Amino acid sequence: MLIRKLIAAFYIGFLILQTAAGGEVSADEPARAPAPAIGDLIAQLDGDSFAGRRKAFLALRAFGPLAIEPLREAAAKGDPEIITHAVELLEGWSLDADRRVFEPAATALRELTNSQNGELARRSDLAHRRHRRHRRALAQSLIQELGGTVNINPGGRNRETVYVSLSQTWKGGEDLSSLLELGPLQSLTLTSPIFTDTTLKQVGKFEDVQSLTLHKGQFTKVGFSALGQLSSLQMISLGYLTETKHLG
């Protein structure tokens, strides 16, 4: 009798320790199988069962950014079914509002556009184009909300001219990062005294700018030196600059 009581006490103590450690022990409930790994889920995308493929697709979508690189690698191997699902998942993430999600997904799509597999390259290119249009629409809306003007004029197949003007109504400060989402800019006008050398350093990143207008800004030769990176620049207009004595 004493031995049975000791065994029972030991078992109860074991259950308490397991519960404290986060484990679950139940005589009536069987142990749960561990969740499938990402690689196993990707393999299931090529399964015979539609329900199984759909279940794997939804499970992978829940993994988010963790599944991006494995999916890119799997798609590159060329299986048609996996390509279809992988590109669909990557495109969905590329349209996410969180930069930590959409940037790696968009990068993966861009890399897959260079694939030697024609179907994979085609699908990835279309998905990446939709991602860029989505980001551009968001950026255009934000810039206009902040008081800027964006005009995009189509000029034929795959050709367009993007004009951006930020005047005294601009409420976005010196930060021009939202303009990067518009894609290549051909014409940029900055006409506000809030713009300084810090602004010009950002302008130097817009390599496709052909026409640049700077009025009423506070610029020095330090800021203008950043414009040397604009290899496509054909015309620059300066006027009413608040600070000119240090232009050199």
Side-chain angles (χ1 to χ4, degrees), residues 47-74:
D48 295 331
S49 166
F50 173 80
R53 294 196 301 271
R54 184 61 182 171
K55 184 177 180 180
F57 178 92
L58 294 176
L60 284 166
R61 189 166 65 183
F63 272 103
L66 293 176
I68 289 176
E69 185 58 21
L71 277 168
R72 186 194 66 78
E73 294 177 353

Side-chain angles (χ1 to χ4, degrees), residues 80-130:
E81 193 71 33
I82 290 180
I83 285 176
T84 299
H85 292 299
V87 172
E88 184 178 351
L89 283 165
L90 290 172
E91 180 178 355
W93 289 322
S94 78
L95 302 179
D96 195 275
D98 190 335
R99 186 171 295 275
R100 295 170 298 180
V101 177
F102 76 71
E103 277 194 344
T107 297
L109 286 172
R110 186 172 62 249
E111 291 175 356
L112 290 174
T113 61
N114 297 319
S115 171
Q116 294 183 350
N117 182 312
E119 182 63 13
L120 174 57
R122 184 188 68 82
R123 286 178 176 270
S124 299
D125 181 61
L126 290 174
H128 191 258
R129 286 175 184 269
R130 286 190 287 268

Side-chain angles (χ1 to χ4, degrees), residues 186-235:
Q186 283 71 46
S187 177
L188 177 60
T189 298
L190 303 176
T191 57
S192 173
I194 69 170
F195 296 127
T196 66
D197 288 347
T198 301
T199 310
L200 292 187
K201 290 178 181 179
Q202 297 176 71
V203 172
K205 299 178 182 180
F206 301 127
E207 300 177 351
D208 295 281
V209 167
Q210 300 174 12
S211 174
L212 178 62
T213 299
L214 302 173
H215 287 188
K216 303 180 182 179
Q218 304 180 61
F219 309 122
T220 71
K221 64 181 179 181
V222 175
F224 277 98
S225 65
L227 302 183
Q229 305 173 57
L230 301 178
S231 58
S232 300
L233 187 62
Q234 299 176 8
M235 182 183 72

